[in-house]
Amino acid sequence: MTFRILILGGTTEARRLAAAISQDRRFDASVSLAGRTANPVRHATPVRTGGFGGSDGLAAFLTDTAVDVLIDATHPFAATISRNALKAASDSGVHLVALRRREWQAEPGDTWTHYPDITGAIAALGSAPHRVFVTLGRQELSPLLSAPQHHYLVRSVDPVDPPLAIESVTYVLDRGPFELKNEVALLKDHRIEAVVTKNSGGEASRAKLIAARNMSIPVYMIDRPVMADFPAVETVDEALLALDHWALSEQKRGV
Ligand code: NAP
């Protein structure tokens, strides 16, 4: 008996989980991507790309492709797809596992202030011009237009196109994981005075926070959106364990 697994991805964890599951003969896994990045990193399993058309579309997809387990391993800020996953899994009677990496927590030496959204964080930079390192999705940068007095260093995976209509912006194209020594060099080279970031959690992009701490640079932290109240595991290993338990109980039931 092979169980069909659909992983909603777009994260390092989803890719690592897919690689681990692809080694297990009990499972036939594939990954779904929204299609936001031009050249997504290769996966060990088949990948499908593009939206489903809301929770009803996702529920229909789960039924049509006979999915047994849906794993929501999307980014902690991707609230809509997670909400849709919860509803679609419930509507179609598919088992749901959610993998949500743990939030970053401020440590001694950090200077973090917290904001519910990007607009709030940019406004809090104040009216005096600063040199600001921004690590946000390239489709989320419009709030920067309301504070054109700053110089922005914008890092993204794909080019910001069209570029922002602001006088002073430097673009850096890069994809994590990022190393501490490179992050320190980046902040130094660009004489950065503030970091604006989302509380994504995870290791791949944590080094910038350590660099900011070491260099006494304030971090304007955008807090996570409120997610559907559904239990989530925090690591790939925990997700594998949850999947294993589910498969064993199904096998015991004689499914
Ligand atoms: P979102 O606002 O929660 O979702 C918007 C719509 O995009 C969804 O309703 C769905 O369209 C489609 N979608 C999202 N994830 C999908 C997936 N894995 N497979 C198929 N369709 C998907 O999502 P978002 O914040 O734009 O993020 C999009 C993707 O980028 C996610 O997969 C996420 O893991 C990844 N990502 C997001 C962030 C972030 O900061 N938000 C950062 C890194 C990576 P339909 O309603 O048509 O199904």
Side-chain angles (χ1 to χ4, degrees), residues 5 7 16-25 27 29 71 240 243:
I5 315 292
I7 303 169
R16 286 181 41 219
L17 187 60
I21 295 175
S22 72
Q23 302 295 318
D24 191 325
R25 285 162 168 247
F27 305 121
I71 303 182
L240 288 169
L243 195 56

Side-chain angles (χ1 to χ4, degrees), residues 65-183:
T65 55
V67 167
D68 296 296
V69 181
L70 177 64
I71 303 182
D72 173 16
T74 56
H75 191 272
F77 278 80
T80 305
I81 187 70
S82 290
R83 206 167 39 243
N84 290 352
L86 183 57
K87 178 152 193 320
S90 151
D91 289 352
S92 56
V94 164
H95 185 66
L96 176 66
V97 174
L99 167 57
R100 198 94 54 235
R101 44 171 109 127
R102 188 176 293 187
E103 281 186 315
W104 291 316
Q105 302 287 342
E107 293 182 21
D110 282 326
T111 319
W112 294 7
T113 43
H114 295 266
Y115 305 92
D117 52 35
I118 298 168
T119 304
I122 297 296
L125 290 166
S127 53
H130 291 295
R131 300 183 63 84
V132 185
F133 180 35
V134 174
T135 62
L136 302 168
R138 74 197 153 103
Q139 280 120 348
E140 302 172 311
L141 297 170
S142 59
L144 275 56
L145 300 174
S146 66
Q149 69 274 28
H150 304 300
H151 173 81
Y152 296 103
L153 172 65
V154 172
R155 181 164 69 193
S156 58
V157 173
D158 288 315
V160 178
D161 186 22
L164 293 168
I166 303 181
E167 211 168 290
S168 191
V169 189
T170 304
Y171 297 98
V172 183
L173 290 186
D174 210 347
R175 193 196 290 265
F178 299 103
E179 280 186 40
L180 180 58
K181 67 172 185 343
N182 296 338
E183 297 293 62

Side-chain angles (χ1 to χ4, degrees), residues 24-92:
D24 191 325
R25 285 162 168 247
R26 292 173 298 173
F27 305 121
D28 170 12
S30 59
V31 169
S32 172
L33 299 178
R36 300 282 192 271
T37 48
N39 294 302
V41 181
R42 278 179 64 85
H43 287 69
T45 62
V47 170
R48 67 158 298 284
T49 304
F52 298 95
S55 65
D56 289 347
L58 177 54
F61 183 90
L62 296 175
T63 305
D64 294 348
T65 55
V67 167
D68 296 296
V69 181
L70 177 64
I71 303 182
D72 173 16
T74 56
H75 191 272
F77 278 80
T80 305
I81 187 70
S82 290
R83 206 167 39 243
N84 290 352
L86 183 57
K87 178 152 193 320
S90 151
D91 289 352
S92 56

